[in-house]
Amino acid sequence: MQVTYLGSSEIQMGKKESVADTAKVLGSMFDGIEYRGFSQQIVEDLAENANVPVWNGLTDEWHPTQMIADFMTLKEHFSYLEGLNLTYIGDGRNNVANSLLVTAAKLGVNITIIAPKSLQPDQEVIDLAKIQSTGGTIHITDDITASKGSDAIYTDVWLSMGEDADFKERIDLLWDYQVNQNLLDLTENPEVIVLHCLPAFHNTKTEISKTIYETYGYESLEITDEVFQAQSDIIFQEAENRLHSIKAILYWSLK
Ligand code: NVA
């Protein structure tokens, strides 16, 4: 397969050319289109008009391709999915949390979302998960002790791509929801694993994390370096699985 990358400076989609027109042009030239951007409406308009498979590579609302890699990793580690206890902690209404909630429900995985009330999933997403559920439990709470009994803990960045929010306000809101040793102890499961879709704010070795450290004094945000390093085998297995799972997705939809 050959891949052509079209960044926002290469095309005029939505600016000088409607999404529908761009979809028709690209659909006539390519066998499939993956959209990784912000607006869910754009990926839906592409899918409606392109006449070729359109994959959602991430929007503000959903991150479905990440799910295939995540649940593949869980299956590789535990060898089963149904009945697993998966807990997501942090920004509970971002693209990853929404997708985990619905995918876990579909696969019979018991899902707990732990987040402050203002960052919990929209009722619409919870309802969708309930409709799609094949029997797993769905639990939304702001209480970190609900992590007790987790087989896997999942976290993600506290500020997602394209979000226009005050970083400090978000940190203050989510500080108690950091994945650290205390949180792992609350699971009462010494075998608990931690997943993260990456990138992770676990040290001060990036430009942004360095600025955060210099401005506010935090060395890590959603996950401590101690936990990240201890769990890095499974976290990087999850990252590698993005490759294998996206190949499977492309093959399945093009074959
Ligand atoms: N919630 C994150 C996911 C990154 C893969 C973001 O949208 O930035």
Side-chain angles (χ1 to χ4, degrees):
M1 290 177 72
Q2 308 217 352
V3 176
T4 301
Y5 173 74
L6 298 170
S8 55
S9 55
E10 275 94 33
I11 51 172
Q12 297 291 338
M13 186 171 71
K15 276 184 237 145
K16 275 167 81 181
E17 183 167 71
S18 70
V19 176
D21 288 359
T22 300
K24 286 177 189 140
V25 173
L26 296 181
S28 73
M29 298 174 177
F30 295 97
D31 295 309
I33 302 166
E34 170 160 327
Y35 172 79
R36 184 176 172 100
F38 302 105
S39 158
Q40 180 64 26
Q41 193 57 50
I42 291 183
V43 77
E44 286 175 19
D45 289 349
L46 280 173
E48 205 175 302
N49 292 284
N51 276 319
V52 292
V54 171
W55 304 285
N56 179 349
L58 176 148
T59 65
D60 291 338
E61 291 171 51
W62 300 106
H63 198 1
T65 59
Q66 177 73 45
M67 295 304 110
I68 308 301
D70 294 344
F71 286 90
M72 173 182 173
T73 309
L74 287 169
K75 182 117 188 244
E76 282 179 334
H77 186 81
F78 293 102
S79 23
Y80 67 94
L81 290 175
E82 220 169 298
L84 265 184
N85 296 312
L86 173 64
T87 300
Y88 174 94
I89 180 158
D91 178 3
R93 34 102 263 183
N94 74 11
N95 41 20
V96 168
N98 286 344
S99 298
L100 275 179
L101 179 53
V102 174
T103 313
K106 274 187 178 186
L107 296 173
V109 171
N110 301 319
I111 178 82
T112 299
I113 304 271
I114 306 180
K117 288 210 160 60
S118 59
L119 294 176
Q120 291 183 353
D122 287 348
Q123 192 55 46
E124 253 182 17
V125 178
I126 300 171
D127 291 344
L128 186 62
K130 284 185 179 159
I131 291 167
Q132 307 253 349
S133 171
T134 55
T137 56
I138 295 171
H139 186 198
I140 317 286
T141 178
D142 60 356
D143 177 8
I144 61 168
T145 66
S147 59
K148 186 176 168 188
S150 302
D151 297 304
I153 297 280
Y154 197 122
T155 190
D156 184 15
V157 288
W158 285 347
L159 208 64
S160 282
M161 287 185 239
E163 260 198 291
D164 189 20
D166 183 89
F167 221 132
K168 181 66 170 72
E169 260 177 43
R170 191 58 69 77
I171 294 171
D172 289 345
L173 197 55
L174 283 166
W175 188 247
D176 293 341
Y177 297 83
Q178 185 187 57
V179 175
N180 50 31
Q181 194 51 50
N182 176 51
L183 193 267
L184 297 196
D185 291 344
L186 287 174
T187 68
E188 294 182 18
N189 176 8
E191 307 292 321
V192 68
I193 62 161
V194 176
L195 296 179
H196 193 306
C197 54
L198 302 182
F201 284 77
H202 62 95
N203 60 22
T204 54
K205 292 188 179 160
T206 69
E207 277 173 35
I208 300 179
S209 61
K210 216 166 149 213
T211 308
I212 289 171
Y213 176 66
E214 282 160 5
T215 319
Y216 308 115
Y218 297 106
E219 285 182 16
S220 57
L221 295 182
E222 74 275 4
I223 184 167
T224 59
D225 197 44
E226 182 196 14
V227 171
F228 186 88
Q229 299 305 345
Q231 296 279 338
S232 63
D233 283 357
I234 192 82
I235 291 173
F236 288 109
Q237 182 179 331
E238 178 189 8
E240 181 188 327
N241 281 340
R242 292 283 279 135
L243 174 67
H244 309 306
S245 54
I246 205 78
K247 286 194 293 190
I249 293 166
L250 298 184
Y251 177 73
W252 182 84
S253 36
L254 291 169
K255 76 176 159 44

